mmCIF file of all heavy atoms in Angstrom:
data_model
loop_
_atom_site.group_PDB
_atom_site.id
_atom_site.type_symbol
_atom_site.label_atom_id
_atom_site.label_comp_id
_atom_site.label_asym_id
_atom_site.label_seq_id
_atom_site.Cartn_x
_atom_site.Cartn_y
_atom_site.Cartn_z
ATOM 1 N N LEU A 8 100.062 74.790 206.043
ATOM 2 C CA LEU A 8 100.586 74.441 204.707
ATOM 3 C C LEU A 8 101.143 73.024 204.689
ATOM 4 O O LEU A 8 101.038 72.345 203.748
ATOM 5 C CB LEU A 8 101.682 75.403 204.344
ATOM 6 C CG LEU A 8 101.201 76.780 203.781
ATOM 7 C CD1 LEU A 8 102.386 77.657 203.396
ATOM 8 C CD2 LEU A 8 100.264 76.606 202.624
ATOM 9 N N ASP A 9 101.774 72.583 205.774
ATOM 10 C CA ASP A 9 102.290 71.229 205.902
ATOM 11 C C ASP A 9 101.215 70.205 205.718
ATOM 12 O O ASP A 9 101.335 69.181 205.082
ATOM 13 C CB ASP A 9 103.015 71.006 207.201
ATOM 14 C CG ASP A 9 104.386 71.809 207.226
ATOM 15 O OD1 ASP A 9 104.891 72.088 206.091
ATOM 16 O OD2 ASP A 9 104.853 72.089 208.293
ATOM 17 N N ALA A 10 100.008 70.482 206.408
ATOM 18 C CA ALA A 10 98.901 69.521 206.249
ATOM 19 C C ALA A 10 98.318 69.496 204.879
ATOM 20 O O ALA A 10 97.939 68.452 204.387
ATOM 21 C CB ALA A 10 97.773 69.999 207.251
ATOM 22 N N ILE A 11 98.249 70.645 204.190
ATOM 23 C CA ILE A 11 97.910 70.718 202.830
ATOM 24 C C ILE A 11 98.835 69.936 201.940
ATOM 25 O O ILE A 11 98.420 69.132 201.048
ATOM 26 C CB ILE A 11 97.801 72.145 202.296
ATOM 27 C CG1 ILE A 11 96.605 72.899 202.966
ATOM 28 C CG2 ILE A 11 97.631 72.159 200.771
ATOM 29 C CD1 ILE A 11 95.282 72.460 202.464
ATOM 30 N N ALA A 12 100.154 70.068 202.176
ATOM 31 C CA ALA A 12 101.097 69.406 201.357
ATOM 32 C C ALA A 12 101.071 67.907 201.538
ATOM 33 O O ALA A 12 101.416 67.102 200.626
ATOM 34 C CB ALA A 12 102.526 69.938 201.671
ATOM 35 N N GLU A 13 100.675 67.463 202.696
ATOM 36 C CA GLU A 13 100.633 65.997 202.979
ATOM 37 C C GLU A 13 99.355 65.311 202.399
ATOM 38 O O GLU A 13 99.275 64.068 202.478
ATOM 39 C CB GLU A 13 100.634 65.784 204.516
ATOM 40 C CG GLU A 13 101.992 66.139 205.129
ATOM 41 C CD GLU A 13 101.955 66.122 206.642
ATOM 42 O OE1 GLU A 13 100.829 65.852 207.201
ATOM 43 O OE2 GLU A 13 102.959 66.430 207.295
ATOM 44 N N GLN A 14 98.383 66.126 201.876
ATOM 45 C CA GLN A 14 97.220 65.515 201.276
ATOM 46 C C GLN A 14 97.631 64.634 200.091
ATOM 47 O O GLN A 14 98.325 65.078 199.228
ATOM 48 C CB GLN A 14 96.256 66.667 200.839
ATOM 49 C CG GLN A 14 95.596 67.357 201.931
ATOM 50 C CD GLN A 14 94.478 66.622 202.625
ATOM 51 O OE1 GLN A 14 93.833 65.687 201.973
ATOM 52 N NE2 GLN A 14 94.139 66.913 203.820
ATOM 53 N N ASP A 15 97.061 63.430 199.966
ATOM 54 C CA ASP A 15 97.261 62.586 198.836
ATOM 55 C C ASP A 15 96.290 62.993 197.709
ATOM 56 O O ASP A 15 95.179 62.561 197.688
ATOM 57 C CB ASP A 15 97.082 61.106 199.188
ATOM 58 C CG ASP A 15 97.541 60.169 198.063
ATOM 59 O OD1 ASP A 15 97.453 60.625 196.922
ATOM 60 O OD2 ASP A 15 97.845 59.037 198.365
ATOM 61 N N PHE A 16 96.730 63.947 196.895
ATOM 62 C CA PHE A 16 95.904 64.610 195.903
ATOM 63 C C PHE A 16 95.293 63.602 194.906
ATOM 64 O O PHE A 16 94.044 63.574 194.662
ATOM 65 C CB PHE A 16 96.666 65.702 195.178
ATOM 66 C CG PHE A 16 95.913 66.287 194.088
ATOM 67 C CD1 PHE A 16 94.795 67.019 194.185
ATOM 68 C CD2 PHE A 16 96.438 66.139 192.736
ATOM 69 C CE1 PHE A 16 94.035 67.554 193.137
ATOM 70 C CE2 PHE A 16 95.745 66.719 191.659
ATOM 71 C CZ PHE A 16 94.581 67.371 191.842
ATOM 72 N N LEU A 17 96.060 62.781 194.372
ATOM 73 C CA LEU A 17 95.585 61.852 193.325
ATOM 74 C C LEU A 17 94.594 60.803 193.891
ATOM 75 O O LEU A 17 93.604 60.465 193.253
ATOM 76 C CB LEU A 17 96.742 61.127 192.622
ATOM 77 C CG LEU A 17 97.710 61.975 191.813
ATOM 78 C CD1 LEU A 17 98.761 61.158 191.169
ATOM 79 C CD2 LEU A 17 96.898 62.658 190.714
ATOM 80 N N ASP A 18 94.883 60.383 195.144
ATOM 81 C CA ASP A 18 93.962 59.526 195.781
ATOM 82 C C ASP A 18 92.627 60.147 196.012
ATOM 83 O O ASP A 18 91.527 59.547 195.846
ATOM 84 C CB ASP A 18 94.514 58.995 197.080
ATOM 85 C CG ASP A 18 93.648 57.992 197.823
ATOM 86 O OD1 ASP A 18 93.432 56.897 197.253
ATOM 87 O OD2 ASP A 18 93.088 58.358 198.868
ATOM 88 N N LEU A 19 92.594 61.452 196.435
ATOM 89 C CA LEU A 19 91.391 62.220 196.630
ATOM 90 C C LEU A 19 90.619 62.303 195.318
ATOM 91 O O LEU A 19 89.399 62.046 195.286
ATOM 92 C CB LEU A 19 91.759 63.616 197.165
ATOM 93 C CG LEU A 19 90.575 64.605 197.254
ATOM 94 C CD1 LEU A 19 89.501 64.147 198.236
ATOM 95 C CD2 LEU A 19 91.079 65.988 197.576
ATOM 96 N N VAL A 20 91.275 62.676 194.214
ATOM 97 C CA VAL A 20 90.608 62.823 192.948
ATOM 98 C C VAL A 20 90.049 61.539 192.504
ATOM 99 O O VAL A 20 88.860 61.476 191.973
ATOM 100 C CB VAL A 20 91.604 63.396 191.866
ATOM 101 C CG1 VAL A 20 90.962 63.372 190.520
ATOM 102 C CG2 VAL A 20 91.958 64.807 192.253
ATOM 103 N N GLU A 21 90.760 60.415 192.585
ATOM 104 C CA GLU A 21 90.249 59.144 192.183
ATOM 105 C C GLU A 21 89.003 58.733 192.976
ATOM 106 O O GLU A 21 88.058 58.193 192.385
ATOM 107 C CB GLU A 21 91.354 58.035 192.328
ATOM 108 C CG GLU A 21 92.477 58.219 191.318
ATOM 109 C CD GLU A 21 93.595 57.239 191.520
ATOM 110 O OE1 GLU A 21 93.457 56.414 192.510
ATOM 111 O OE2 GLU A 21 94.614 57.247 190.808
ATOM 112 N N SER A 22 89.015 58.944 194.202
ATOM 113 C CA SER A 22 87.855 58.643 195.097
ATOM 114 C C SER A 22 86.617 59.426 194.705
ATOM 115 O O SER A 22 85.524 58.943 194.667
ATOM 116 C CB SER A 22 88.171 58.684 196.599
ATOM 117 O OG SER A 22 88.485 60.124 196.866
ATOM 118 N N LEU A 23 86.864 60.746 194.450
ATOM 119 C CA LEU A 23 85.791 61.634 194.023
ATOM 120 C C LEU A 23 85.179 61.149 192.704
ATOM 121 O O LEU A 23 83.927 61.087 192.571
ATOM 122 C CB LEU A 23 86.254 63.083 193.920
ATOM 123 C CG LEU A 23 86.590 63.832 195.212
ATOM 124 C CD1 LEU A 23 87.163 65.195 194.867
ATOM 125 C CD2 LEU A 23 85.393 63.884 196.098
ATOM 126 N N GLU A 24 86.006 60.819 191.749
ATOM 127 C CA GLU A 24 85.502 60.441 190.485
ATOM 128 C C GLU A 24 84.796 59.038 190.500
ATOM 129 O O GLU A 24 83.925 58.796 189.755
ATOM 130 C CB GLU A 24 86.617 60.466 189.406
ATOM 131 C CG GLU A 24 87.111 61.875 189.117
ATOM 132 C CD GLU A 24 87.958 61.964 187.879
ATOM 133 O OE1 GLU A 24 88.604 60.959 187.547
ATOM 134 O OE2 GLU A 24 88.031 63.059 187.221
ATOM 135 N N GLU A 25 85.150 58.236 191.407
ATOM 136 C CA GLU A 25 84.486 56.952 191.639
ATOM 137 C C GLU A 25 83.062 57.241 192.108
ATOM 138 O O GLU A 25 82.124 56.639 191.720
ATOM 139 C CB GLU A 25 85.266 56.057 192.644
ATOM 140 C CG GLU A 25 86.488 55.414 192.072
ATOM 141 C CD GLU A 25 87.247 54.602 193.086
ATOM 142 O OE1 GLU A 25 86.746 54.492 194.228
ATOM 143 O OE2 GLU A 25 88.296 54.071 192.767
ATOM 144 N N GLU A 26 82.950 58.219 193.052
ATOM 145 C CA GLU A 26 81.605 58.674 193.471
ATOM 146 C C GLU A 26 80.769 59.174 192.367
ATOM 147 O O GLU A 26 79.609 58.815 192.172
ATOM 148 C CB GLU A 26 81.704 59.650 194.632
ATOM 149 C CG GLU A 26 82.306 59.161 195.935
ATOM 150 C CD GLU A 26 82.256 60.234 196.934
ATOM 151 O OE1 GLU A 26 81.350 61.068 196.989
ATOM 152 O OE2 GLU A 26 83.290 60.337 197.758
ATOM 153 N N PHE A 27 81.383 60.073 191.564
ATOM 154 C CA PHE A 27 80.649 60.644 190.416
ATOM 155 C C PHE A 27 80.259 59.590 189.418
ATOM 156 O O PHE A 27 79.126 59.640 188.888
ATOM 157 C CB PHE A 27 81.544 61.715 189.727
ATOM 158 C CG PHE A 27 81.844 62.858 190.601
ATOM 159 C CD1 PHE A 27 83.049 63.570 190.453
ATOM 160 C CD2 PHE A 27 80.944 63.336 191.561
ATOM 161 C CE1 PHE A 27 83.341 64.687 191.229
ATOM 162 C CE2 PHE A 27 81.253 64.368 192.394
ATOM 163 C CZ PHE A 27 82.444 65.086 192.259
ATOM 164 N N GLN A 28 81.100 58.580 189.221
ATOM 165 C CA GLN A 28 80.765 57.523 188.281
ATOM 166 C C GLN A 28 79.539 56.742 188.755
ATOM 167 O O GLN A 28 78.652 56.439 187.984
ATOM 168 C CB GLN A 28 81.981 56.595 188.179
ATOM 169 C CG GLN A 28 81.738 55.426 187.170
ATOM 170 C CD GLN A 28 81.678 55.878 185.746
ATOM 171 O OE1 GLN A 28 82.301 56.831 185.359
ATOM 172 N NE2 GLN A 28 80.838 55.238 184.945
ATOM 173 N N ARG A 29 79.530 56.423 190.122
ATOM 174 C CA ARG A 29 78.361 55.708 190.617
ATOM 175 C C ARG A 29 77.083 56.534 190.440
ATOM 176 O O ARG A 29 76.031 56.025 190.125
ATOM 177 C CB ARG A 29 78.561 55.392 192.078
ATOM 178 C CG ARG A 29 79.588 54.223 192.320
ATOM 179 C CD ARG A 29 79.585 53.706 193.725
ATOM 180 N NE ARG A 29 80.016 54.759 194.666
ATOM 181 C CZ ARG A 29 81.308 54.905 195.045
ATOM 182 N NH1 ARG A 29 82.230 54.069 194.588
ATOM 183 N NH2 ARG A 29 81.636 55.822 195.943
ATOM 184 N N GLU A 30 77.177 57.828 190.796
ATOM 185 C CA GLU A 30 75.954 58.687 190.670
ATOM 186 C C GLU A 30 75.571 58.814 189.175
ATOM 187 O O GLU A 30 74.386 58.887 188.868
ATOM 188 C CB GLU A 30 76.264 60.078 191.268
ATOM 189 C CG GLU A 30 76.546 60.120 192.749
ATOM 190 C CD GLU A 30 75.372 59.633 193.535
ATOM 191 O OE1 GLU A 30 74.226 59.793 193.012
ATOM 192 O OE2 GLU A 30 75.517 59.094 194.646
ATOM 193 N N TYR A 31 76.533 58.880 188.321
ATOM 194 C CA TYR A 31 76.255 59.077 186.906
ATOM 195 C C TYR A 31 75.487 57.816 186.362
ATOM 196 O O TYR A 31 74.487 57.925 185.647
ATOM 197 C CB TYR A 31 77.553 59.248 186.125
ATOM 198 C CG TYR A 31 77.371 59.412 184.652
ATOM 199 C CD1 TYR A 31 76.920 60.629 184.106
ATOM 200 C CD2 TYR A 31 77.661 58.360 183.767
ATOM 201 C CE1 TYR A 31 76.785 60.769 182.718
ATOM 202 C CE2 TYR A 31 77.556 58.528 182.390
ATOM 203 C CZ TYR A 31 77.133 59.722 181.928
ATOM 204 O OH TYR A 31 76.982 59.906 180.531
ATOM 205 N N ILE A 32 75.950 56.684 186.807
ATOM 206 C CA ILE A 32 75.304 55.429 186.351
ATOM 207 C C ILE A 32 73.868 55.372 186.982
ATOM 208 O O ILE A 32 72.911 54.914 186.321
ATOM 209 C CB ILE A 32 76.093 54.165 186.790
ATOM 210 C CG1 ILE A 32 77.430 54.163 186.005
ATOM 211 C CG2 ILE A 32 75.320 52.941 186.529
ATOM 212 C CD1 ILE A 32 78.385 53.147 186.486
ATOM 213 N N ALA A 33 73.705 55.844 188.217
ATOM 214 C CA ALA A 33 72.410 55.830 188.867
ATOM 215 C C ALA A 33 71.392 56.688 188.183
ATOM 216 O O ALA A 33 70.188 56.463 188.185
ATOM 217 C CB ALA A 33 72.530 56.230 190.287
ATOM 218 N N GLN A 34 71.894 57.756 187.496
ATOM 219 C CA GLN A 34 71.025 58.659 186.789
ATOM 220 C C GLN A 34 70.367 58.041 185.564
ATOM 221 O O GLN A 34 69.328 58.514 185.067
ATOM 222 C CB GLN A 34 71.712 59.923 186.382
ATOM 223 C CG GLN A 34 72.050 60.853 187.556
ATOM 224 C CD GLN A 34 72.746 62.147 187.110
ATOM 225 O OE1 GLN A 34 73.171 62.245 185.896
ATOM 226 N NE2 GLN A 34 73.030 63.002 187.992
ATOM 227 N N GLU A 35 71.063 56.955 185.016
ATOM 228 C CA GLU A 35 70.507 56.285 183.849
ATOM 229 C C GLU A 35 70.194 57.284 182.703
ATOM 230 O O GLU A 35 69.130 57.405 182.184
ATOM 231 C CB GLU A 35 69.221 55.462 184.114
ATOM 232 C CG GLU A 35 69.435 54.440 185.161
ATOM 233 C CD GLU A 35 68.237 53.686 185.483
ATOM 234 O OE1 GLU A 35 67.145 54.181 185.168
ATOM 235 O OE2 GLU A 35 68.350 52.576 186.101
ATOM 236 N N VAL A 36 71.259 58.048 182.360
ATOM 237 C CA VAL A 36 71.124 59.130 181.352
ATOM 238 C C VAL A 36 70.800 58.454 180.041
ATOM 239 O O VAL A 36 71.433 57.537 179.569
ATOM 240 C CB VAL A 36 72.397 59.909 181.279
ATOM 241 C CG1 VAL A 36 72.321 60.894 180.144
ATOM 242 C CG2 VAL A 36 72.711 60.571 182.623
ATOM 243 N N ASP A 37 69.749 58.958 179.349
ATOM 244 C CA ASP A 37 69.337 58.568 178.082
ATOM 245 C C ASP A 37 70.029 59.418 177.019
ATOM 246 O O ASP A 37 69.738 60.581 176.899
ATOM 247 C CB ASP A 37 67.796 58.616 177.912
ATOM 248 C CG ASP A 37 67.330 57.940 176.579
ATOM 249 O OD1 ASP A 37 68.172 57.711 175.718
ATOM 250 O OD2 ASP A 37 66.110 57.695 176.489
ATOM 251 N N ALA A 38 70.938 58.853 176.272
ATOM 252 C CA ALA A 38 71.682 59.605 175.298
ATOM 253 C C ALA A 38 70.821 60.120 174.202
ATOM 254 O O ALA A 38 71.190 61.068 173.439
ATOM 255 C CB ALA A 38 72.856 58.785 174.726
ATOM 256 N N ASP A 39 69.623 59.564 173.972
ATOM 257 C CA ASP A 39 68.764 59.934 172.880
ATOM 258 C C ASP A 39 67.887 61.164 173.235
ATOM 259 O O ASP A 39 67.167 61.660 172.368
ATOM 260 C CB ASP A 39 67.789 58.778 172.463
ATOM 261 C CG ASP A 39 68.608 57.657 171.890
ATOM 262 O OD1 ASP A 39 69.674 57.863 171.313
ATOM 263 O OD2 ASP A 39 68.117 56.492 171.988
ATOM 264 N N HIS A 40 67.965 61.569 174.505
ATOM 265 C CA HIS A 40 67.138 62.708 174.897
ATOM 266 C C HIS A 40 67.988 63.832 175.470
ATOM 267 O O HIS A 40 68.975 63.588 176.252
ATOM 268 C CB HIS A 40 66.140 62.286 176.015
ATOM 269 C CG HIS A 40 65.057 61.405 175.525
ATOM 270 N ND1 HIS A 40 65.260 60.061 175.248
ATOM 271 C CD2 HIS A 40 63.721 61.615 175.279
ATOM 272 C CE1 HIS A 40 64.135 59.515 174.819
ATOM 273 N NE2 HIS A 40 63.174 60.486 174.816
ATOM 274 N N ASP A 41 67.706 65.016 175.042
ATOM 275 C CA ASP A 41 68.415 66.176 175.591
ATOM 276 C C ASP A 41 67.954 66.375 177.061
ATOM 277 O O ASP A 41 66.801 66.223 177.374
ATOM 278 C CB ASP A 41 68.086 67.472 174.804
ATOM 279 C CG ASP A 41 68.840 67.537 173.544
ATOM 280 O OD1 ASP A 41 70.061 67.238 173.522
ATOM 281 O OD2 ASP A 41 68.253 67.921 172.493
ATOM 282 N N ARG A 42 68.936 66.713 177.905
ATOM 283 C CA ARG A 42 68.650 67.014 179.287
ATOM 284 C C ARG A 42 68.618 68.560 179.434
ATOM 285 O O ARG A 42 69.679 69.235 179.238
ATOM 286 C CB ARG A 42 69.725 66.420 180.211
ATOM 287 C CG ARG A 42 69.706 64.847 180.213
ATOM 288 C CD ARG A 42 70.903 64.255 180.893
ATOM 289 N NE ARG A 42 71.022 64.627 182.288
ATOM 290 C CZ ARG A 42 70.280 64.144 183.292
ATOM 291 N NH1 ARG A 42 69.381 63.126 183.022
ATOM 292 N NH2 ARG A 42 70.441 64.552 184.518
ATOM 293 N N VAL A 43 67.433 69.119 179.698
ATOM 294 C CA VAL A 43 67.187 70.515 179.462
ATOM 295 C C VAL A 43 66.956 71.293 180.738
ATOM 296 O O VAL A 43 66.249 70.843 181.637
ATOM 297 C CB VAL A 43 66.012 70.689 178.514
ATOM 298 C CG1 VAL A 43 65.746 72.113 178.246
ATOM 299 C CG2 VAL A 43 66.163 69.874 177.239
ATOM 300 N N VAL A 44 67.521 72.499 180.810
ATOM 301 C CA VAL A 44 67.205 73.492 181.811
ATOM 302 C C VAL A 44 66.449 74.617 181.084
ATOM 303 O O VAL A 44 66.985 75.139 180.106
ATOM 304 C CB VAL A 44 68.447 74.023 182.558
ATOM 305 C CG1 VAL A 44 68.054 75.193 183.424
ATOM 306 C CG2 VAL A 44 69.074 72.928 183.339
ATOM 307 N N ILE A 45 65.326 74.945 181.570
ATOM 308 C CA ILE A 45 64.481 76.063 181.015
ATOM 309 C C ILE A 45 64.762 77.326 181.754
ATOM 310 O O ILE A 45 64.878 77.322 183.028
ATOM 311 C CB ILE A 45 63.009 75.715 181.096
ATOM 312 C CG1 ILE A 45 62.677 74.592 180.079
ATOM 313 C CG2 ILE A 45 62.146 76.943 180.801
ATOM 314 C CD1 ILE A 45 61.255 74.130 180.151
ATOM 315 N N VAL A 46 64.838 78.429 181.039
ATOM 316 C CA VAL A 46 65.081 79.735 181.665
ATOM 317 C C VAL A 46 63.962 80.715 181.208
ATOM 318 O O VAL A 46 63.807 80.880 179.973
ATOM 319 C CB VAL A 46 66.509 80.334 181.321
ATOM 320 C CG1 VAL A 46 66.697 81.622 181.987
ATOM 321 C CG2 VAL A 46 67.553 79.335 181.705
ATOM 322 N N GLY A 47 63.286 81.322 182.130
ATOM 323 C CA GLY A 47 62.275 82.316 181.798
ATOM 324 C C GLY A 47 62.571 83.661 182.420
ATOM 325 O O GLY A 47 63.180 83.727 183.499
#
């Protein structure tokens, strides 16, 4: 529990969202097109 408590939570979240932001930009999402999952 002490190790969990010592985790810098906000720093972890910020670094994760920076990664997601880079991946999101890499996807080059086209806002004019729906991104679709088909289910059969």
